[in-house]
Amino acid sequence: DFIVDEYQLLEARAHGADAVLLMLSGLGDADFRRRFAAAAELGLSALVEVHNLQQIGFPFVTSVATGTTPMGVVVAPALKRVYVANNGSNSITVIDTATMSAVATIDLTLASPTPLQTPSDLVISPDQQWIWVAAREIGGPAQGAVAKISTATNTVVEEVLVLGSTG
């Protein structure tokens, strides 16, 4: 979830989160600074989504390069991992929250005979063993797919084709 209220930070910490997602474009400068400071006070790392460098008016501890056009983000607190869906490069970047570095890239174009394209939404299972990724198939705008990824191996283990209507 995107953090919009300080209460969400308290909820995240109470549920064992190590990191939270702050979207710079979704908060005003003053609100962003308050959420960032409050996260630090609670011992939470802040993953900050920035759409362009002009938005940044203060120094960050670090930045982590992902694939092209990052869209969806999901945090796996028990694994100390953040997964980022890279819409423009058809991949998932795996970030280690302890080192704040990318530790793996899952290439979705190699997922199956019908490669996934434009991943956008991520959901993690309650036991954090699986991530499901929603994406379009290369076959056309009326097709999509949901890929199941193992968090243990960072590989696609299953894919389900979803057919939509064209009219």
Side-chain angles (χ1 to χ4, degrees):
D1 291 342
F2 295 111
I3 302 295
V4 294
D5 186 85
E6 287 186 40
Y7 184 75
Q8 290 175 288
L9 296 170
L10 296 170
E11 287 180 320
R13 175 43 78 203
H15 285 92
D18 293 318
V20 293
L21 175 63
L22 298 177
M23 194 166 92
L24 192 55
S25 64
L27 299 167
D29 188 58
D31 284 338
F32 175 79
R33 288 173 184 270
R34 279 194 296 274
R35 304 298 180 277
F36 191 83
E41 287 175 17
L42 292 168
L44 295 166
S45 295
L47 175 68
V48 180
E49 180 177 323
V50 178
H51 292 272
N52 63 58
L53 294 178
Q54 288 73 31
Q55 290 178 306
I56 302 172
F58 51 91
F60 278 89
V61 174
T62 189
S63 63
V64 180
T66 63
T68 308
T69 318
M71 292 285 279
V73 175
V74 70
V75 178
L79 303 175
K80 298 187 184 307
R81 296 285 191 260
V82 173
Y83 296 83
V84 180
N86 303 308
N87 191 267
S89 56
N90 303 329
S91 64
I92 306 296
T93 300
V94 183
I95 299 169
D96 181 327
T97 60
T99 63
M100 292 306 288
S101 62
V103 293
T105 300
I106 304 165
D107 186 352
L108 298 177
T109 61
L110 304 175
S112 72
T114 55
L116 295 171
Q117 185 177 16
T118 64
S120 57
D121 297 310
L122 302 167
V123 176
I124 192 161
S125 64
D127 62 7
Q128 299 183 23
Q129 291 184 16
W130 311 105
I131 293 179
W132 284 270
V133 181
R136 252 190 22 236
E137 284 287 335
I138 287 178
Q143 294 186 40
V146 176
K148 181 179 179 182
I149 295 174
S150 164
T151 58
T153 62
N154 291 327
T155 57
V156 175
V157 295
E158 188 176 353
E159 183 183 336
V160 177
L161 182 64
V162 180
L163 299 176
S165 98
T166 57

Short mmCIF file of all heavy atoms in Angstrom, two decimals, residues 2-58:
data_model
loop_
_atom_site.label_atom_id
_atom_site.label_comp_id
_atom_site.label_asym_id
_atom_site.label_seq_id
_atom_site.Cartn_x
_atom_site.Cartn_y
_atom_site.Cartn_z
N PHE A 2 0.39 2.28 -0.65
CA PHE A 2 1.07 3.56 -0.58
C PHE A 2 0.72 4.20 0.77
O PHE A 2 -0.43 4.21 1.19
CB PHE A 2 0.62 4.49 -1.71
CG PHE A 2 1.01 4.00 -3.07
CD1 PHE A 2 0.06 3.55 -3.96
CD2 PHE A 2 2.34 3.98 -3.45
CE1 PHE A 2 0.43 3.09 -5.21
CE2 PHE A 2 2.72 3.53 -4.69
CZ PHE A 2 1.75 3.08 -5.57
N ILE A 3 1.71 4.73 1.44
CA ILE A 3 1.50 5.37 2.73
C ILE A 3 1.01 6.80 2.50
O ILE A 3 1.69 7.59 1.86
CB ILE A 3 2.79 5.37 3.57
CG1 ILE A 3 3.30 3.95 3.79
CG2 ILE A 3 2.60 6.12 4.88
CD1 ILE A 3 2.40 3.07 4.60
N VAL A 4 -0.17 7.11 3.01
CA VAL A 4 -0.70 8.46 2.89
C VAL A 4 -0.95 9.08 4.26
O VAL A 4 -1.14 10.28 4.37
CB VAL A 4 -2.00 8.50 2.05
CG1 VAL A 4 -1.72 8.11 0.61
CG2 VAL A 4 -3.08 7.63 2.65
N ASP A 5 -0.95 8.26 5.31
CA ASP A 5 -1.26 8.74 6.64
C ASP A 5 -0.26 8.14 7.63
O ASP A 5 0.17 7.00 7.47
CB ASP A 5 -2.69 8.29 7.01
CG ASP A 5 -3.14 8.86 8.31
OD1 ASP A 5 -3.64 10.00 8.33
OD2 ASP A 5 -2.99 8.17 9.34
N GLU A 6 0.10 8.90 8.64
CA GLU A 6 1.08 8.42 9.62
C GLU A 6 0.58 7.19 10.37
O GLU A 6 1.38 6.36 10.79
CB GLU A 6 1.47 9.54 10.59
CG GLU A 6 2.37 10.57 9.91
CD GLU A 6 2.91 11.61 10.87
OE1 GLU A 6 3.27 11.25 12.01
OE2 GLU A 6 2.97 12.78 10.46
N TYR A 7 -0.73 7.05 10.51
CA TYR A 7 -1.28 5.87 11.19
C TYR A 7 -0.89 4.59 10.45
O TYR A 7 -0.65 3.56 11.06
CB TYR A 7 -2.80 5.99 11.31
CG TYR A 7 -3.40 4.85 12.10
CD1 TYR A 7 -3.28 4.80 13.49
CD2 TYR A 7 -4.08 3.82 11.47
CE1 TYR A 7 -3.80 3.76 14.22
CE2 TYR A 7 -4.61 2.77 12.19
CZ TYR A 7 -4.48 2.75 13.56
OH TYR A 7 -5.00 1.70 14.28
N GLN A 8 -0.81 4.67 9.11
CA GLN A 8 -0.41 3.51 8.32
C GLN A 8 1.01 3.06 8.67
O GLN A 8 1.33 1.88 8.60
CB GLN A 8 -0.49 3.82 6.82
CG GLN A 8 -1.91 3.96 6.32
CD GLN A 8 -1.90 4.38 4.86
OE1 GLN A 8 -1.57 5.52 4.54
NE2 GLN A 8 -2.25 3.45 3.99
N LEU A 9 1.86 4.01 9.05
CA LEU A 9 3.22 3.66 9.48
C LEU A 9 3.17 2.85 10.76
O LEU A 9 3.90 1.86 10.91
CB LEU A 9 4.06 4.92 9.68
CG LEU A 9 4.32 5.77 8.44
CD1 LEU A 9 4.96 7.09 8.83
CD2 LEU A 9 5.18 5.01 7.45
N LEU A 10 2.32 3.26 11.70
CA LEU A 10 2.17 2.51 12.95
C LEU A 10 1.63 1.10 12.69
O LEU A 10 2.09 0.13 13.28
CB LEU A 10 1.24 3.27 13.91
CG LEU A 10 1.75 4.62 14.39
CD1 LEU A 10 0.65 5.38 15.13
CD2 LEU A 10 2.98 4.45 15.27
N GLU A 11 0.66 1.00 11.76
CA GLU A 11 0.12 -0.31 11.40
C GLU A 11 1.20 -1.19 10.78
O GLU A 11 1.31 -2.38 11.08
CB GLU A 11 -1.04 -0.16 10.42
CG GLU A 11 -2.30 0.37 11.03
CD GLU A 11 -3.42 0.49 10.02
OE1 GLU A 11 -3.15 0.90 8.86
OE2 GLU A 11 -4.56 0.17 10.38
N ALA A 12 2.00 -0.61 9.89
CA ALA A 12 3.07 -1.36 9.23
C ALA A 12 4.05 -1.91 10.26
O ALA A 12 4.43 -3.09 10.22
CB ALA A 12 3.80 -0.48 8.22
N ARG A 13 4.47 -1.07 11.20
CA ARG A 13 5.41 -1.51 12.24
C ARG A 13 4.77 -2.59 13.10
O ARG A 13 5.39 -3.60 13.42
CB ARG A 13 5.85 -0.31 13.08
CG ARG A 13 6.73 -0.63 14.27
CD ARG A 13 7.83 -1.65 14.04
NE ARG A 13 8.97 -1.12 13.37
CZ ARG A 13 9.82 -1.89 12.68
NH1 ARG A 13 9.65 -3.17 12.58
NH2 ARG A 13 10.85 -1.37 12.09
N ALA A 14 3.48 -2.43 13.47
CA ALA A 14 2.78 -3.40 14.31
C ALA A 14 2.67 -4.76 13.63
O ALA A 14 2.65 -5.80 14.30
CB ALA A 14 1.40 -2.88 14.68
N HIS A 15 2.62 -4.76 12.30
CA HIS A 15 2.52 -6.02 11.55
C HIS A 15 3.89 -6.57 11.16
O HIS A 15 3.99 -7.50 10.36
CB HIS A 15 1.64 -5.82 10.32
CG HIS A 15 0.19 -5.75 10.66
ND1 HIS A 15 -0.45 -4.55 10.90
CD2 HIS A 15 -0.74 -6.72 10.85
CE1 HIS A 15 -1.71 -4.79 11.20
NE2 HIS A 15 -1.91 -6.09 11.18
N GLY A 16 4.96 -5.98 11.67
CA GLY A 16 6.29 -6.53 11.46
C GLY A 16 7.01 -6.05 10.21
O GLY A 16 8.02 -6.62 9.82
N ALA A 17 6.52 -4.99 9.59
CA ALA A 17 7.18 -4.49 8.38
C ALA A 17 8.55 -3.91 8.71
O ALA A 17 8.77 -3.35 9.78
CB ALA A 17 6.31 -3.42 7.71
N ASP A 18 9.47 -4.06 7.77
CA ASP A 18 10.80 -3.46 7.87
C ASP A 18 10.91 -2.21 7.00
O ASP A 18 11.78 -1.39 7.20
CB ASP A 18 11.88 -4.44 7.40
CG ASP A 18 12.01 -5.62 8.33
OD1 ASP A 18 11.97 -5.42 9.56
OD2 ASP A 18 12.15 -6.75 7.84
N ALA A 19 10.01 -2.15 5.99
CA ALA A 19 10.08 -1.04 5.03
C ALA A 19 8.68 -0.64 4.62
O ALA A 19 7.74 -1.43 4.71
CB ALA A 19 10.88 -1.46 3.80
N VAL A 20 8.55 0.60 4.18
CA VAL A 20 7.28 1.12 3.68
C VAL A 20 7.53 1.84 2.36
O VAL A 20 8.65 2.24 2.07
CB VAL A 20 6.61 2.09 4.69
CG1 VAL A 20 6.16 1.35 5.94
CG2 VAL A 20 7.51 3.25 5.04
N LEU A 21 6.47 1.99 1.59
CA LEU A 21 6.56 2.66 0.31
C LEU A 21 5.98 4.06 0.44
O LEU A 21 4.83 4.23 0.83
CB LEU A 21 5.79 1.88 -0.76
CG LEU A 21 5.69 2.52 -2.14
CD1 LEU A 21 7.07 2.67 -2.76
CD2 LEU A 21 4.79 1.71 -3.04
N LEU A 22 6.79 5.06 0.14
CA LEU A 22 6.34 6.45 0.09
C LEU A 22 6.39 6.92 -1.35
O LEU A 22 7.42 6.78 -2.01
CB LEU A 22 7.23 7.34 0.96
CG LEU A 22 7.27 7.03 2.45
CD1 LEU A 22 8.26 7.95 3.15
CD2 LEU A 22 5.89 7.17 3.07
N MET A 23 5.28 7.45 -1.84
CA MET A 23 5.23 7.93 -3.22
C MET A 23 5.33 9.45 -3.19
O MET A 23 4.40 10.13 -2.75
CB MET A 23 3.93 7.47 -3.88
CG MET A 23 3.93 7.61 -5.37
SD MET A 23 2.56 6.72 -6.11
CE MET A 23 1.35 8.00 -6.16
N LEU A 24 6.45 9.96 -3.64
CA LEU A 24 6.72 11.39 -3.57
C LEU A 24 5.65 12.21 -4.29
O LEU A 24 5.23 13.25 -3.79
CB LEU A 24 8.11 11.68 -4.14
CG LEU A 24 8.68 13.07 -3.90
CD1 LEU A 24 8.70 13.41 -2.42
CD2 LEU A 24 10.08 13.15 -4.46
N SER A 25 5.19 11.73 -5.44
CA SER A 25 4.19 12.50 -6.19
C SER A 25 2.82 12.48 -5.52
O SER A 25 1.98 13.31 -5.82
CB SER A 25 4.08 11.98 -7.62
OG SER A 25 3.60 10.66 -7.61
N GLY A 26 2.58 11.53 -4.61
CA GLY A 26 1.29 11.43 -3.96
C GLY A 26 1.18 12.25 -2.68
O GLY A 26 0.10 12.37 -2.11
N LEU A 27 2.28 12.81 -2.24
CA LEU A 27 2.29 13.61 -1.01
C LEU A 27 2.90 14.97 -1.33
O LEU A 27 3.77 15.08 -2.17
CB LEU A 27 3.16 12.93 0.05
CG LEU A 27 2.73 11.55 0.53
CD1 LEU A 27 3.85 10.90 1.32
CD2 LEU A 27 1.47 11.64 1.36
N GLY A 28 2.44 15.99 -0.64
CA GLY A 28 3.11 17.29 -0.75
C GLY A 28 4.47 17.20 -0.08
O GLY A 28 4.75 16.26 0.67
N ASP A 29 5.32 18.17 -0.33
CA ASP A 29 6.67 18.15 0.21
C ASP A 29 6.68 18.03 1.73
O ASP A 29 7.40 17.23 2.31
CB ASP A 29 7.45 19.39 -0.25
CG ASP A 29 8.92 19.30 0.14
OD1 ASP A 29 9.58 18.33 -0.28
OD2 ASP A 29 9.39 20.20 0.87
N ALA A 30 5.86 18.85 2.41
CA ALA A 30 5.84 18.83 3.88
C ALA A 30 5.33 17.50 4.40
O ALA A 30 5.90 16.93 5.35
CB ALA A 30 4.97 19.98 4.40
N ASP A 31 4.25 16.96 3.80
CA ASP A 31 3.72 15.66 4.23
C ASP A 31 4.73 14.55 3.98
O ASP A 31 4.90 13.65 4.81
CB ASP A 31 2.42 15.33 3.50
CG ASP A 31 1.23 16.10 4.04
OD1 ASP A 31 1.30 16.55 5.20
OD2 ASP A 31 0.25 16.26 3.29
N PHE A 32 5.40 14.61 2.84
CA PHE A 32 6.40 13.58 2.54
C PHE A 32 7.51 13.60 3.59
O PHE A 32 7.91 12.56 4.11
CB PHE A 32 7.00 13.78 1.14
CG PHE A 32 8.12 12.82 0.87
CD1 PHE A 32 7.85 11.52 0.51
CD2 PHE A 32 9.44 13.22 1.03
CE1 PHE A 32 8.89 10.62 0.30
CE2 PHE A 32 10.47 12.33 0.83
CZ PHE A 32 10.19 11.03 0.46
N ARG A 33 8.01 14.79 3.90
CA ARG A 33 9.10 14.90 4.90
C ARG A 33 8.65 14.37 6.26
O ARG A 33 9.42 13.70 6.96
CB ARG A 33 9.57 16.35 5.00
CG ARG A 33 10.37 16.79 3.79
CD ARG A 33 10.68 18.30 3.87
NE ARG A 33 11.35 18.76 2.69
CZ ARG A 33 12.67 18.78 2.53
NH1 ARG A 33 13.46 18.36 3.47
NH2 ARG A 33 13.19 19.21 1.41
N ARG A 34 7.39 14.66 6.66
CA ARG A 34 6.87 14.15 7.93
C ARG A 34 6.78 12.62 7.92
O ARG A 34 7.17 11.97 8.88
CB ARG A 34 5.50 14.75 8.24
CG ARG A 34 5.57 16.14 8.84
CD ARG A 34 4.24 16.56 9.44
NE ARG A 34 3.17 16.66 8.45
CZ ARG A 34 2.93 17.75 7.72
NH1 ARG A 34 3.67 18.83 7.86
NH2 ARG A 34 1.94 17.76 6.86
N ARG A 35 6.28 12.04 6.84
CA ARG A 35 6.15 10.57 6.75
C ARG A 35 7.54 9.91 6.73
O ARG A 35 7.74 8.89 7.35
CB ARG A 35 5.38 10.15 5.50
CG ARG A 35 4.00 10.71 5.30
CD ARG A 35 3.00 10.33 6.37
NE ARG A 35 1.71 10.91 6.08
CZ ARG A 35 1.32 12.16 6.37
NH1 ARG A 35 2.15 12.97 6.97
NH2 ARG A 35 0.12 12.59 6.07
N PHE A 36 8.46 10.53 6.01
CA PHE A 36 9.82 9.99 5.93
C PHE A 36 10.47 9.99 7.32
O PHE A 36 11.06 9.00 7.74
CB PHE A 36 10.65 10.83 4.94
CG PHE A 36 11.96 10.23 4.58
CD1 PHE A 36 12.05 9.27 3.58
CD2 PHE A 36 13.13 10.63 5.22
CE1 PHE A 36 13.28 8.70 3.23
CE2 PHE A 36 14.36 10.07 4.89
CZ PHE A 36 14.42 9.11 3.89
N ALA A 37 10.34 11.10 8.05
CA ALA A 37 10.91 11.20 9.40
C ALA A 37 10.22 10.25 10.36
O ALA A 37 10.87 9.59 11.19
CB ALA A 37 10.82 12.64 9.90
N ALA A 38 8.90 10.15 10.26
CA ALA A 38 8.15 9.26 11.15
C ALA A 38 8.53 7.80 10.90
O ALA A 38 8.65 7.01 11.84
CB ALA A 38 6.65 9.46 10.94
N ALA A 39 8.73 7.43 9.64
CA ALA A 39 9.16 6.06 9.32
C ALA A 39 10.51 5.78 9.96
O ALA A 39 10.71 4.72 10.58
CB ALA A 39 9.23 5.86 7.80
N ALA A 40 11.43 6.72 9.86
CA ALA A 40 12.76 6.54 10.45
C ALA A 40 12.67 6.39 11.97
O ALA A 40 13.35 5.55 12.56
CB ALA A 40 13.67 7.71 10.07
N GLU A 41 11.82 7.20 12.60
CA GLU A 41 11.65 7.12 14.05
C GLU A 41 11.12 5.76 14.49
O GLU A 41 11.44 5.27 15.57
CB GLU A 41 10.70 8.22 14.54
CG GLU A 41 11.29 9.60 14.52
CD GLU A 41 10.27 10.67 14.90
OE1 GLU A 41 9.23 10.34 15.48
OE2 GLU A 41 10.54 11.84 14.59
N LEU A 42 10.32 5.12 13.63
CA LEU A 42 9.77 3.80 13.93
C LEU A 42 10.71 2.67 13.52
O LEU A 42 10.38 1.50 13.67
CB LEU A 42 8.41 3.63 13.22
CG LEU A 42 7.28 4.50 13.74
CD1 LEU A 42 6.09 4.45 12.80
CD2 LEU A 42 6.89 4.06 15.15
N GLY A 43 11.87 3.02 12.96
CA GLY A 43 12.82 2.01 12.52
C GLY A 43 12.45 1.36 11.20
O GLY A 43 12.89 0.26 10.90
N LEU A 44 11.64 2.05 10.41
CA LEU A 44 11.22 1.54 9.11
C LEU A 44 12.08 2.16 8.00
O LEU A 44 12.29 3.37 8.00
CB LEU A 44 9.75 1.89 8.84
CG LEU A 44 8.71 1.25 9.74
CD1 LEU A 44 7.37 1.94 9.58
CD2 LEU A 44 8.61 -0.23 9.43
N SER A 45 12.55 1.34 7.09
CA SER A 45 13.21 1.87 5.90
C SER A 45 12.12 2.41 4.98
O SER A 45 11.02 1.87 4.94
CB SER A 45 13.98 0.77 5.17
OG SER A 45 15.02 0.30 5.96
N ALA A 46 12.42 3.46 4.25
CA ALA A 46 11.45 4.03 3.32
C ALA A 46 11.92 3.78 1.89
O ALA A 46 13.00 4.20 1.51
CB ALA A 46 11.29 5.52 3.57
N LEU A 47 11.09 3.07 1.14
CA LEU A 47 11.30 2.91 -0.29
C LEU A 47 10.52 4.05 -0.92
O LEU A 47 9.32 4.18 -0.70
CB LEU A 47 10.77 1.56 -0.76
CG LEU A 47 10.82 1.30 -2.26
CD1 LEU A 47 12.27 1.19 -2.72
CD2 LEU A 47 10.07 0.04 -2.59
N VAL A 48 11.21 4.93 -1.64
CA VAL A 48 10.59 6.13 -2.16
C VAL A 48 10.44 6.02 -3.67
O VAL A 48 11.42 5.79 -4.38
CB VAL A 48 11.42 7.39 -1.80
CG1 VAL A 48 10.75 8.64 -2.35
CG2 VAL A 48 11.59 7.48 -0.29
N GLU A 49 9.21 6.17 -4.14
CA GLU A 49 8.95 6.15 -5.57
C GLU A 49 9.05 7.57 -6.09
O GLU A 49 8.35 8.47 -5.63
CB GLU A 49 7.57 5.59 -5.86
CG GLU A 49 7.25 5.55 -7.34
CD GLU A 49 5.89 4.92 -7.62
OE1 GLU A 49 5.52 3.96 -6.93
OE2 GLU A 49 5.22 5.42 -8.54
N VAL A 50 9.95 7.77 -7.06
CA VAL A 50 10.18 9.09 -7.64
C VAL A 50 10.00 8.97 -9.15
O VAL A 50 10.58 8.09 -9.78
CB VAL A 50 11.62 9.58 -7.32
CG1 VAL A 50 11.88 10.92 -7.97
CG2 VAL A 50 11.84 9.64 -5.82
N HIS A 51 9.21 9.84 -9.71
CA HIS A 51 8.96 9.78 -11.15
C HIS A 51 9.98 10.57 -11.96
O HIS A 51 10.23 10.26 -13.11
CB HIS A 51 7.54 10.26 -11.47
CG HIS A 51 6.50 9.32 -10.98
ND1 HIS A 51 6.04 8.26 -11.72
CD2 HIS A 51 5.87 9.24 -9.79
CE1 HIS A 51 5.16 7.58 -11.02
NE2 HIS A 51 5.03 8.16 -9.84
N ASN A 52 10.54 11.61 -11.37
CA ASN A 52 11.61 12.34 -12.04
C ASN A 52 12.50 12.99 -10.99
O ASN A 52 12.06 13.28 -9.88
CB ASN A 52 11.07 13.36 -13.05
CG ASN A 52 10.25 14.43 -12.39
OD1 ASN A 52 10.74 15.14 -11.52
ND2 ASN A 52 8.99 14.58 -12.81
N LEU A 53 13.74 13.19 -11.34
CA LEU A 53 14.73 13.70 -10.38
C LEU A 53 14.43 15.12 -9.91
O LEU A 53 14.89 15.52 -8.85
CB LEU A 53 16.13 13.61 -10.97
CG LEU A 53 16.64 12.19 -11.22
CD1 LEU A 53 18.02 12.22 -11.86
CD2 LEU A 53 16.68 11.40 -9.92
N GLN A 54 13.64 15.87 -10.65
CA GLN A 54 13.30 17.23 -10.24
C GLN A 54 12.42 17.23 -8.98
O GLN A 54 12.32 18.23 -8.28
CB GLN A 54 12.60 17.99 -11.36
CG GLN A 54 13.51 18.37 -12.52
CD GLN A 54 13.89 17.17 -13.39
OE1 GLN A 54 13.14 16.23 -13.54
NE2 GLN A 54 15.09 17.21 -13.96
N GLN A 55 11.78 16.09 -8.69
CA GLN A 55 10.94 16.00 -7.50
C GLN A 55 11.78 15.98 -6.22
O GLN A 55 11.28 16.29 -5.15
CB GLN A 55 10.10 14.73 -7.53
CG GLN A 55 9.00 14.72 -8.56
CD GLN A 55 8.26 13.40 -8.53
OE1 GLN A 55 8.85 12.34 -8.64
NE2 GLN A 55 6.95 13.47 -8.37
N ILE A 56 13.03 15.60 -6.32
CA ILE A 56 13.84 15.41 -5.13
C ILE A 56 14.47 16.74 -4.73
O ILE A 56 15.26 17.30 -5.46
CB ILE A 56 14.94 14.36 -5.38
CG1 ILE A 56 14.32 13.04 -5.80
CG2 ILE A 56 15.80 14.18 -4.13
CD1 ILE A 56 15.31 12.00 -6.24
N GLY A 57 14.13 17.20 -3.53
CA GLY A 57 14.68 18.45 -3.05
C GLY A 57 15.58 18.27 -1.85
O GLY A 57 15.88 19.22 -1.15
N PHE A 58 15.99 17.03 -1.58
CA PHE A 58 16.84 16.74 -0.43
C PHE A 58 17.59 15.45 -0.69
O PHE A 58 17.21 14.66 -1.56
CB PHE A 58 16.00 16.64 0.85
CG PHE A 58 14.83 15.71 0.72
CD1 PHE A 58 14.94 14.37 1.04
CD2 PHE A 58 13.61 16.18 0.26
CE1 PHE A 58 13.87 13.52 0.91
CE2 PHE A 58 12.53 15.33 0.12
CZ PHE A 58 12.67 13.99 0.46
#
